Amino acid sequence: MTPEHASELAAKVCLLAPVVPVLVVDDATLAGPLAQALVDGGLPALEVTLRTPAALDVIREMAKIDGGVVGAGTLLTEKDVEAAKEAGATFGVSPGATDRLLDACEANDLPLLPGAATATEAMRLLERGYTTQKFFPAEANGGAPALKGIGAPIPQVKFCPTGGVSLSNAREYLSLSNTLCVGGSWVAPKDLVAAGDWAGITALAKEAAALPR
């Protein structure tokens, strides 16, 4: 897969909804109902972070939900890429980008949303062909004003800002011309997931899906 094709497919995922839920799930038995609740609320693109032992099983379960588009986050190594693809992930997300990781995603035909925090990092990815990127960690790197600043000289690149993004600041990011969507964990808070409050999560998802962009 070429970087250009990867970016085209990643952009399509980003355009499915204003918010991509960033999910850290410890129990795979909760994966199906959680994915269904988010999809029912209008958030079909789901990023399952590889931060728990259950993450790959969570991806497998979520991949069974009709209407869901499941990706793997926190991709760091070639093994991560291969395992995520085998589990059923249809896209990947990384906090940063190394040549080895980019090579692995391209070799395994896994569209990647590679992380960039600075103009130089965004330019390096653009030079390789990646026009769809993740701005991370968004708030720690200056938030929406910083992303707007990067967009002025590099309008070719579109971003999904993640990291410190919440309902209270999502609108500011989504108003930017170089933002396709935002990534956030607030739509699936741990207490609601643990309680199995799927109706509550669907309500949060509906609120997020209605954000303007």
Side-chain angles (χ1 to χ4, degrees):
M1 175 176 288
T2 66
E4 291 80 6
H5 189 209
S7 280
E8 180 184 340
L9 294 176
K12 287 182 178 179
V13 171
C14 289
L15 290 172
L16 289 173
V19 179
V20 175
V22 179
L23 307 170
V24 182
V25 185
D26 296 298
D27 184 353
T29 64
L30 302 175
L34 173 58
Q36 190 65 63
L38 291 165
V39 170
D40 288 347
L43 302 181
L46 310 171
E47 177 191 340
V48 178
T49 61
L50 300 187
R51 300 182 193 176
T52 72
L56 293 172
D57 288 331
V58 170
I59 290 173
R60 290 188 183 94
E61 292 303 313
M62 288 192 171
K64 300 174 184 177
I65 302 302
D66 288 340
V69 179
V70 185
T74 325
L75 295 180
L76 302 177
T77 68
E78 297 164 78
K79 287 185 178 181
D80 289 341
V81 173
E82 293 164 1
K85 184 76 184 285
E86 187 276 332
T90 57
F91 68 95
V93 185
S94 61
T98 65
D99 288 333
R100 185 174 292 183
L101 181 65
L102 296 172
D103 289 343
C105 287
E106 291 162 16
N108 285 276
D109 291 329
L110 186 68
L112 179 68
L113 194 61
T118 66
T120 296
E121 291 173 0
M123 286 172 63
R124 286 198 68 219
L125 285 165
L126 176 61
E127 193 173 78
R128 183 157 174 153
Y130 286 90
T131 54
T132 306
Q133 303 175 19
K134 167 182 172 177
F135 181 56
F136 177 84
E139 282 295 286
N141 278 300
L147 186 55
K148 182 179 180 180
I150 289 175
I154 317 174
Q156 305 96 316
V157 179
K158 306 299 181 185
F159 293 90
C160 170
T162 304
V165 180
S166 64
L167 183 63
S168 64
N169 60 18
R171 287 178 178 81
E172 188 178 3
Y173 286 103
L174 291 168
S175 69
L176 302 178
S177 61
N178 63 337
T179 295
L180 295 176
C181 66
V182 300
S185 59
W186 83 87
V187 292
K190 284 189 175 182
D191 58 338
L192 295 191
V193 174
D197 186 354
W198 311 126
I201 289 174
T202 294
L204 290 174
K206 286 181 178 179
E207 186 179 31
L211 287 167
R213 59 175 173 179

